Amino acid sequence: MSYTAPLKDMLFVLNELAGLAHVNALPGCEDATPETVEAILEENGRFCAEVVAPLNQEGDRQPSFWHDGGEVTTSKGFKDAFKAFGAAGWQGVQHPQEFGGQGLPKLVATPCIEMLNSANLAFALCPLLTDGVIEALMTAGSDQQKTVYLEKLIDGEWTGTMNLTEPQAGSDLSLVRTRAVPQEDGTYKLFGTKIFITYGEHDMADNIVHLVLARTPGAPEGVKGISLFVVPKFLSGANGAGARNDVHCVSIEHKMGIKASPTAVLQFGDHGGAVGTLVGEENRGLEYMFIMMNAARFAVGLQGISVAERAYQKAVAYAKERVQSRDLEGSAGPVTIIHQPDVRRMLMSMRAQTEAARALAYVGAAASDLARHHGDADVRRDNQAFYEYLVPIIKGWSTELAIDVASTGIQVHGGMGFIEETGAAQYYRDARILAIYEGTTAIQANDLVGRKTGRDGGEVAYRIIGEVRRTAAELAAGDDTLKAIGHRLETAAAALEQVVAYVVANLRSDIKGVFAGSVPYLKLAGIVLGGWQMGRAALAARQKLQDGAGDKDFYSAKIGTARFFADHFLTQADAYRLAIVEGSGAVQALSEAQF
């Protein structure tokens, strides 16, 4: 089965929940009119379905290949598809026109990124990392670095990577050992090994621009002594890429999923030193890299939504064609399995989680645009705080649910789901990395607890919960279905509020107890805030039906899906509350020797 972009749902979320009209009114965002955005999404959906999606399953079967000389040949069709991707301007959707981009808001780029990842997750990883390099250089790069790199990155002629991890330094970047030795001409020579570098070597572009964390001589110990460097595969010459730099791919990993994406081990400086230039100031590398990491974390959350959507589409198609057993109410013969209640439950679970996560991510993207472009400093500040609170939830919750949704998709297929030829298993294998890279779910949860809740005494969290309760009150004034959703949402908001109060009150006195519940807190926040968006969606859909506008089937389905989410997911909120507030002792009950 091919991929079909869920354009109706995307446009509904953009217009009714994320507030495209408000974003379109921001300075610099005037081109993002509803008509233009709809045309962009339609064309992107066509490109992803026709050019990128057909390469997905074959890329899984015939992954990228490393040659003894250190070169990597990507899966068949990837190189041509990437050239078409760059030529069509898709890499530059949200990047400045000054450097050849389209200068559109993040809110417009977000569904485009979702569609690309749904079509082919392994392929989409290359543009994802390039986006991060562009963001980092836009923020901290010198004028010369911007001149040399940005236009070629934005037009797809060159691609970018992020080089953090080393054999001894995974999530703990204080252990980074790669060295950067200053040279008389102002450049640096780098020496060291980086692992797990996505698209660290490939044949799809003329140059690869590596952003590398390293230490200069005499730098302070720990994360305070890390600097950031641009180290291109080819040094810049008069007409673009020039001499080969001393950075080489010594192997690529053999992985459980995203097999077509080459994950490289890169060796810097085995032949005299890899030439690099400093980004910004020495010893501020982690600060700059977090710009890239935050962009990547949001994008990985979108990957979770994308894989969930693709797994859902495949499961629905199978359920509508697979004939098995009689209808429980009686039938002359066997029926398709979509008539069976438990299959309906599974499909609704997949659909509801995917739609809730999509809505939350798009609302986050709009907040990012408001934080960047709004004329009022207070509005910018509030939206930045809201966006920053959402990022670990979008990343952590969306990727965790993607694993569940993809697994449920296999269950819908029954035994056929366990057979690789059907394609359902690939989504599960691909999804499994999403909760790990760019910071595990626990790392996202630690960020949510420490930086996003504890640091401000829960101020932002309480403000968001207040908005959730306002939506619950609006629902309570509606018909019986809306009232039921509102009741579930209010109860879930109360559970989240109690957990925030627990975190704030106990973070200093019982830090291990609080962090024992950090991942459940993140999941609780995802469920409540996702349910908030589904409640808002139900309100908007009901109003559309009352106005007699648009597709009645779509709007009634939106309300039904919101009700399902309320009854089957918001009801989990109090269980999470109990586990967080009262369950920390059990987490730490056993000694090390007892495990």
Side-chain angles (χ1 to χ4, degrees), residues 117-309:
N117 280 284
S118 278
N120 193 326
L121 181 62
F123 178 89
L125 278 163
C126 188
L128 182 156
L129 272 300
T130 302
D131 278 338
V133 173
I134 293 165
E135 288 283 340
L137 292 179
M138 282 297 304
T139 303
S142 67
D143 289 342
Q144 183 179 8
Q145 287 168 336
K146 292 176 182 178
T147 299
V148 171
Y149 297 111
L150 285 180
E151 188 171 335
K152 291 184 179 296
L153 289 167
I154 288 171
D155 70 10
E157 190 175 339
W158 294 355
T159 64
T161 72
M162 177 166 55
N163 291 244
L164 291 77
T165 308
E166 299 180 4
Q168 79 295 335
S171 300
D172 186 359
L173 295 176
S174 66
L175 301 177
V176 164
R177 294 178 188 163
T178 298
R179 298 181 296 118
V181 181
Q183 306 297 300
E184 291 183 359
D185 63 358
T187 63
Y188 292 75
K189 286 196 173 181
L190 277 75
F191 304 86
T193 304
K194 296 289 184 179
I195 64 171
F196 299 157
I197 310 306
T198 301
Y199 278 92
E201 177 60 36
H202 61 85
D203 61 353
M204 302 195 314
D206 295 338
N207 201 359
I208 305 172
V209 181
H210 305 292
L211 284 190
V212 186
L213 290 182
R215 296 185 182 279
T216 55
E221 293 296 320
V223 295
K224 293 182 179 179
I226 297 175
S227 300
L228 182 64
F229 300 87
V230 180
V231 184
K233 176 181 176 179
F234 292 100
L235 298 169
S236 295
N239 298 311
R244 185 72 161 84
N245 205 354
D246 187 11
V247 50
H248 298 277
C249 176
V250 297
S251 67
I252 60 174
E253 306 295 350
H254 300 90
K255 300 169 297 188
M256 173 181 175
I258 54 169
K259 292 182 177 182
S261 161
T263 302
V265 177
L266 295 182
Q267 193 67 33
F268 294 82
D270 270 5
H271 307 283
V275 177
T277 56
L278 179 68
V279 177
E281 301 174 15
E282 284 191 13
N283 304 324
R284 295 182 65 185
L286 197 60
E287 174 189 340
Y288 303 142
M289 186 63 87
F290 260 106
I291 298 163
M292 189 175 186
M293 288 172 67
N294 272 335
R297 286 174 175 179
F298 178 88
V300 173
L302 280 179
Q303 289 184 321
I305 297 160
S306 301
V307 176
E309 172 65 35

Side-chain angles (χ1 to χ4, degrees), residues 322-328 330-340:
R322 172 63 166 165
V323 175
Q324 186 83 7
S325 302
R326 293 185 177 187
D327 191 298
L328 289 174
S331 61
V335 295
T336 53
I337 62 173
I338 199 167
H339 289 83
Q340 305 302 338

Side-chain angles (χ1 to χ4, degrees), residues 28-74:
C29 300
E30 296 87 354
D31 290 343
T33 64
E35 297 77 18
T36 299
V37 171
E38 184 170 354
I40 290 170
L41 266 57
E42 287 176 352
E43 179 58 24
N44 187 267
R46 184 203 62 77
F47 178 86
C48 290
E50 296 178 5
V51 178
V52 183
L55 306 176
N56 185 52
Q57 197 166 16
E58 189 58 33
D60 184 61
R61 292 170 177 165
Q62 299 292 329
S64 298
F65 180 79
W66 179 81
H67 303 270
D68 287 342
E71 302 298 316
V72 170
T73 299
T74 50

Side-chain angles (χ1 to χ4, degrees), residues 21 93 111-112 137 163 264 376 393 485 500 551:
V93 170
C112 295
L137 292 179
N163 291 244
D376 187 317
I393 300 168
I485 297 170
V500 171
D551 187 334

